[in-house]
């Protein structure tokens, strides 16, 4: 039986989908966190909801530590560990405010969480202990991403802090975002050369770690997720960014309901998918880039809410090389 290029996943969360993440080394299992306080594990190949557990408040992010253990956090300030085999839940610890970001770091062999309490914390899941607390230069953490030893943290006041996970005594650099408005998402290039960040004002920036002036000349920003209506430009937040690990291309998702794929090195858009049900709230490529998870959620952007308010929906798209490979 031929597989459809795109599948809508059944039993989606009942409130905003905050994050989608594929299991390491497979495109079969997808972890999903939501404002309905749930964390869900889907088998997207068989389109079934396999497991579900809850926090006491909206969950803002989730991650796989490995193929059998997941970590999630949100507005209850708690960092929760869940074992998919035994269904055992445990609390790793807590922040002093809502936790916005959860990332697994292979280099640190632990879980990194970023919070509105202006810290990033490192958790050892064996000892269920916080083994590092790092002040983020007085900025609330809005988005973060790590690759090998590099950690980038986008904070309030449009700042970006670059850290080396091998030496967390002090950040490497503190930069101002080249985007004039609040950061929504930041993601490291798989080739470790830099990062991509998006803002609420329909723009994306491609930045490089190397401070050599010749390298810094390559950085650029571009407008996207905008449309014209009656001679007026409508500008939408770019809520989500996800990289294709093989091709170093990336997907962006906006409140215009579109997903675009970009070749950042050649400054080109490779493709745009069809219009989705509502704002794209989260995106995730699988490790091999074969599959893209797409979360749609109405994010309360309109002055007058639509009638009826769109329900959250979840899709997996089996992308082709033509859609994702640099031309």
């Amino acid at each position: 039986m031929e597989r459809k290029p795109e599948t809508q996943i059944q039993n989606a969360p009942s409130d905003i989908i905050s994050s989608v993440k594929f299991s390491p080394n497979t495109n079969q299992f997808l972890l999903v966190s939501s404002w309905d306080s749930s964390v869900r594990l889907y088998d997207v190949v068989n389109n079934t909801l396999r497991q579900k557990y809850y926090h006491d408040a909206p969950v803002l992010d989730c991650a796989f530590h490995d193929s059998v253990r997941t970590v999630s956090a949100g507005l209850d300030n708690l960092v929760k560990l869940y074992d998919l085999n035994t269904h055992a839940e445990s609390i790793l610890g807590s922040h002093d405010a809502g936790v916005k970001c959860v990332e697994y770091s292979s280099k640190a062999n632990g879980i990194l969480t970023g919070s509105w309490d202006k810290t990033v914390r490192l958790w050892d899941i064996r000892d269920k202990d916080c083994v590092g607390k790092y002040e983020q230069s007085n900025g609330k953490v809005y988005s973060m991403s790590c690759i090998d030893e590099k950690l980038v943290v986008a904070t309030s006041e449009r700042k970006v802090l670059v850290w080396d996970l091998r030496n967390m005594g002090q950040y490497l650099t503190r930069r101002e975002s080249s985007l004039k408005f609040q950061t929504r998402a930041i993601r490291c290039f798989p080739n470790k050369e830099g990062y991509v960040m998006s803002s609420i004002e329909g723009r994306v920036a491609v930045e490089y770690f190397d401070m050599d002036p010749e390298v810094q000349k390559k950085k650029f920003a571009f407008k996207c997720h905008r449309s014209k209506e009656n001679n007026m430009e409508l500008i939408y937040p770019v809520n989500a960014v996800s990289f294709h690990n093989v091709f170093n291309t990336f997907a962006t998702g906006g409140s215009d309901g579109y997903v675009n794929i970009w070749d950042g090195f050649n400054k080109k858009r490779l493709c745009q998918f069809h219009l989705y049900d509502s704002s794209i709230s989260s995106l995730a490529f699988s490790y091999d880039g074969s599959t893209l998870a797409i979360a749609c959620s109405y994010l309360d952007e309109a002055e007058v809410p639509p009638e009826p308010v769109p329900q959250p929906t979840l899709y997996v798209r089996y992308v082709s090389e033509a859609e994702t490979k640099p031309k």
Side-chain angles (χ1 to χ4, degrees):
M1 197 170 88
E2 199 181 355
R3 186 170 66 182
K4 285 189 189 145
E6 191 171 281
T7 305
Q8 183 171 350
I9 300 302
Q10 304 300 310
N11 296 306
S14 60
D15 204 342
I16 293 168
I17 299 169
S18 54
S19 183
V20 291
K21 304 252 177 96
F22 275 103
S23 176
N25 310 322
T26 171
N27 65 349
Q28 181 169 6
F29 297 109
L30 183 70
L31 194 65
V32 176
S33 59
S34 168
W35 280 73
D36 71 4
S37 304
S38 75
V39 181
R40 297 163 190 245
L41 179 78
Y42 294 91
D43 174 341
V44 301
V45 173
N46 296 303
N47 203 344
T48 53
L49 173 62
R50 290 287 289 267
Q51 298 202 32
K52 179 165 64 169
Y53 67 93
Y54 285 94
H55 283 246
D56 291 331
V59 188
L60 301 186
D61 204 1
C62 58
F64 283 91
H65 181 277
D66 48 41
S67 59
V68 294
R69 288 173 296 185
T70 64
V71 179
S72 49
L75 293 183
D76 59 6
N77 305 359
L78 298 177
V79 182
K80 195 175 261 199
L81 175 69
Y82 185 81
D83 188 308
L84 296 169
N85 284 344
T86 64
H87 307 266
E89 285 180 38
S90 46
I91 304 296
L92 287 178
S94 65
H95 279 265
D96 302 326
V99 187
K100 179 65 173 64
C101 308
V102 181
E103 291 283 315
Y104 169 68
S105 164
S106 55
K107 184 59 88 178
N109 191 28
I111 289 286
L112 292 158
T113 53
S115 166
W116 295 332
D117 69 6
K118 305 179 179 178
T119 69
V120 167
R121 302 188 192 202
L122 175 64
W123 306 90
D124 180 323
I125 76 159
R126 286 178 305 258
D127 298 337
K128 298 191 171 52
D129 197 18
C130 178
V131 290
K133 177 181 171 183
Y134 314 107
E135 299 289 336
Q136 296 302 306
S137 194
N138 209 30
K140 293 179 180 178
V141 178
Y142 285 170
S143 185
M144 66 182 197
S145 176
C146 58
I147 182 135
D148 288 353
E149 74 283 352
K150 283 278 198 302
L151 168 69
V152 291
V153 183
T155 68
S156 49
E157 315 293 305
R158 298 176 33 254
K159 296 294 186 282
V160 175
L161 281 79
V162 181
W163 296 80
D164 184 331
L165 288 165
R166 298 165 303 187
N167 176 19
M168 291 290 283
Q170 175 65 24
Y171 52 77
L172 293 175
T173 54
R174 177 173 180 251
R175 304 179 179 185
E176 183 138 311
S177 165
S178 50
L179 306 174
K180 293 194 192 74
F181 292 85
Q182 185 187 349
T183 308
R184 270 288 157 92
I186 194 164
R187 287 287 175 265
C188 294
F189 269 98
N191 68 7
K192 300 183 282 200
E193 284 182 23
Y195 56 88
V196 166
M197 58 192 299
S198 69
S199 80
I200 58 170
E201 189 247 349
R203 268 179 211 270
V204 167
V206 176
E207 301 271 350
Y208 291 88
F209 289 128
D210 190 335
M211 294 309 287
D212 180 304
E214 283 304 302
V215 176
Q216 286 299 311
K217 272 186 196 162
K218 295 197 296 185
K219 75 177 194 177
F220 67 99
F222 61 93
K223 297 176 183 178
C224 52
H225 297 281
R226 296 173 175 220
S227 64
K228 277 210 163 57
E229 215 171 84
N230 306 327
N231 287 332
M232 266 188 43
E233 187 173 39
L234 302 177
I235 299 172
Y236 297 91
V238 184
N239 304 312
V241 176
S242 182
F243 268 98
H244 191 294
N245 282 333
V246 182
F247 299 143
N248 280 286
T249 52
F250 60 93
T252 58
S255 289
D256 57 349
Y258 283 105
V259 176
N260 293 317
I261 309 282
W262 307 90
D263 174 358
F265 293 118
N266 297 310
K267 304 186 182 180
K268 279 203 311 220
R269 182 167 81 176
L270 297 173
C271 72
Q272 180 178 71
F273 301 151
H274 62 85
L275 180 64
Y276 285 88
D277 313 284
S278 53
S279 301
I280 309 300
S281 56
S282 184
L283 291 170
F285 273 111
S286 57
Y287 78 104
D288 61 354
S290 67
T291 314
L292 179 65
I294 300 163
C296 310
S297 309
Y298 174 64
L299 298 173
D300 292 325
E301 295 103 339
E303 287 174 39
V304 181
E307 286 285 337
V309 172
Q311 288 300 301
T313 50
L314 189 57
Y315 297 89
V316 290
R317 186 178 180 96
Y318 299 100
V319 291
S320 65
E321 280 201 3
E323 292 169 329
T324 54
K325 192 175 182 179
K327 304 257 189 303

